[in-house]
Amino acid sequence: PGHGRDDAWTEGATLALIDAWGERYLHLNRGNLKQKHWREVADEVTKRSCLDESSSGRSGKSDVQCKNRLDTLKKKYKIEKARLASEGSPSKWPFFVKLDELIGPSKKGKKRSTPPPSNNGIAPAAAAAAALTATPNNGNATAANEGRASSSKRRKVEGSFKDLARAIIKFGEVYERIESAKQQQLMDLERQRMEFTKDLELQRMQLFMQTQVELAKMKHGK
């Protein structure tokens, strides 16, 4: 395509440029336009500018002119955005609102699919309907993903509770074995104590009997 000279842009031609570029920009999920897209933009701007009486007699726009003009608009938008942030007054620049909707800070991170532009820059009804019906499907997909994530979290929580329950049961079994061993040990000690006491009492009785016998012998001898 011819580069041509960068002649003056009317407000109508600039608006046509923003519209033509914006449609393709959104269709590409806010991505950069390729050379073929810029040629389409230039053709569309030229066609729409020819319908504007104030543009009669002017030469058509080339893809390079359109790209340069848009770069200039983006730089002007950043300056205007910074001015508004510092002053807080509304913008009087006629292209600010359209550009803010397309490249504003809150729009840059968003991705959306839009129907491809038709020859006259208006999306076909069927494509527009398909774009509208895509939103519920995306919503359903998101809901399904969230459902799977919730289900996964629920399974993890349930698994944690099961592990905790098994740990408590195992601890109870160990504690029961320890207590049983302690009881058995106490019973063994009690049995040993009783046997020792019994043996001690038996020895005491034997010693008492022997003492009595010895005393009896001593009396009889006298």
Side-chain angles (χ1 to χ4, degrees), residues 169-215:
I169 293 173
K170 187 174 181 179
F171 175 81
E173 293 173 351
V174 173
Y175 181 83
E176 185 177 356
R177 286 198 296 269
I178 294 175
E179 287 297 316
S180 178
K182 288 173 61 177
Q183 291 294 331
Q184 186 64 38
Q185 186 178 13
L186 290 174
M187 291 174 63
D188 292 340
L189 290 174
E190 182 64 15
R191 185 176 66 255
Q192 292 176 6
R193 187 188 68 80
M194 292 178 65
E195 291 177 355
F196 176 78
T197 302
K198 183 179 179 181
D199 291 341
L200 185 63
E201 182 66 20
L202 181 60
Q203 290 178 7
R204 190 182 69 80
M205 290 298 296
Q206 289 176 349
L207 180 60
F208 177 78
M209 292 299 295
Q210 289 177 358
T211 301
Q212 292 297 324
V213 170
E214 293 294 331
L215 289 174

Side-chain angles (χ1 to χ4, degrees), residues 25-37:
Y25 175 66
L26 294 179
H27 179 61
L28 295 172
N29 288 332
R30 301 183 185 274
N32 295 327
L33 273 64
K34 296 181 180 179
Q35 190 64 31
K36 65 175 183 178
H37 299 124

Side-chain angles (χ1 to χ4, degrees), residues 14 19 34 37 52 71 74 105 129-130 133 140 144 160 170 173 216:
T14 301
D19 288 340
K34 296 181 180 179
H37 299 124
D52 186 356
D71 290 340
K74 288 181 178 180
T133 57
N140 292 338
S160 299
K170 187 174 181 179
E173 293 173 351

Side-chain angles (χ1 to χ4, degrees), residues 35-53:
Q35 190 64 31
K36 65 175 183 178
H37 299 124
W38 283 112
R39 285 196 293 267
E40 294 174 358
V41 169
D43 291 342
E44 188 170 327
V45 170
T46 299
K47 291 178 183 178
R48 294 170 67 173
S49 296
C50 289
L51 299 178
D52 186 356
E53 294 182 358

Side-chain angles (χ1 to χ4, degrees), residues 17-34 37-38 40-41 70 74 98-105 107-117:
L17 169 64
I18 296 174
D19 288 340
W21 166 79
E23 290 169 359
R24 289 159 178 81
Y25 175 66
L26 294 179
H27 179 61
L28 295 172
N29 288 332
R30 301 183 185 274
N32 295 327
L33 273 64
K34 296 181 180 179
H37 299 124
W38 283 112
E40 294 174 358
V41 169
L70 187 66
K74 288 181 178 180
K98 277 184 172 291
L99 288 172
D100 191 55
E101 291 176 353
L102 292 167
I103 61 175
K107 308 295 190 301
K108 287 183 179 179
K110 295 183 179 181
K111 299 288 185 180
R112 72 176 186 181
S113 297
T114 58

